[in-house]
Amino acid sequence: VGYVWMIDGRKFNIDLKMQELAELLDPSLFYQINRSVMISVKAVRGYDKVKNKQGEVILKEGIEIGASLLVSRFRFDGFQKVLRGFRDSL
């Protein structure tokens, strides 16, 4: 069982594996930042680079979730690319 946090703060239980969830979501709008968190790029204000080629996601004001927002070093380049692509499309 996993959780989905909505932008308005609501939290829902889901019974999907991360891979199953990834197949349902638009990859230009959602990105798996680490082993347990998939995030909407619409909720991202930015990120801070941290050690070992990792990043810490900064959410837009008023959005909070109860999970680590550390982008793994193996996913950091992909996260930057998806975030850049989203911002370029605005």
Side-chain angles (χ1 to χ4, degrees):
V1 175
Y3 303 99
V4 172
W5 282 273
M6 306 302 287
I7 288 178
D8 64 7
R10 293 177 296 153
K11 179 179 167 183
F12 297 95
N13 292 339
I14 60 168
D15 190 20
L16 296 171
K17 295 177 182 174
M18 289 298 280
Q19 181 61 37
E20 294 169 331
L21 184 59
E23 291 172 6
L24 296 173
L25 299 172
D26 182 343
S28 68
L29 298 176
F30 292 88
Y31 191 78
Q32 184 176 349
I33 61 170
N34 60 41
R35 189 177 289 175
S36 60
V37 175
M38 174 110 32
I39 195 161
S40 166
V41 293
K42 290 181 179 182
V44 175
R45 183 177 65 172
Y47 62 89
D48 287 329
K49 289 184 179 180
V50 295
K51 66 176 184 161
N52 209 13
K53 199 169 181 194
Q54 294 176 307
E56 181 79 26
V57 173
I58 302 168
L59 297 176
K60 290 182 179 175
E61 192 169 324
I63 301 174
E64 295 181 28
I65 66 170
S68 170
L69 295 177
L70 188 66
V71 183
S72 75
R73 63 182 172 185
F74 302 110
R75 299 179 191 270
F76 188 65
D77 290 339
F79 170 72
Q80 288 178 306
K81 183 178 178 181
V82 168
L83 187 59
R84 198 170 28 253
F86 173 73
R87 289 183 175 164
D88 289 347
S89 70
L90 295 179

